[in-house]
């Protein structure tokens, strides 16, 4: 989160909402990349 900044850059409320949604999507993507894929063998 610190890499994305502590404050919102946009002044308009609708743009702030969009900015938060983009940040959430990025964090979800980073989390998905970090989760190992486990496969049951046998």
């Amino acid at each position: 989160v610190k890499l994305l900044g502590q404050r919102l850059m946009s002044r308009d409320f609708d743009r702030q909402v969009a900015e938060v949604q983009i940040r959430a999507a990025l964090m979800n993507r980073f989390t998905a990349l970090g989760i190992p894929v486990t496969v049951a063998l046998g």
Side-chain angles (χ1 to χ4, degrees):
V1 175
K2 288 187 177 183
L3 293 176
L4 300 175
Q6 293 288 335
R7 297 181 178 180
L8 297 175
M9 299 292 290
S10 304
R11 290 185 178 184
D12 185 36
F13 179 74
D14 291 333
R15 291 183 183 183
Q16 286 179 351
V17 171
E19 188 175 340
V20 169
Q21 290 174 342
I22 291 169
R23 289 181 187 203
L26 279 173
M27 292 302 292
N28 289 337
R29 181 66 175 153
F30 289 149
T31 302
L33 289 173
I35 296 175
V37 177
T38 56
V39 178
L41 300 176

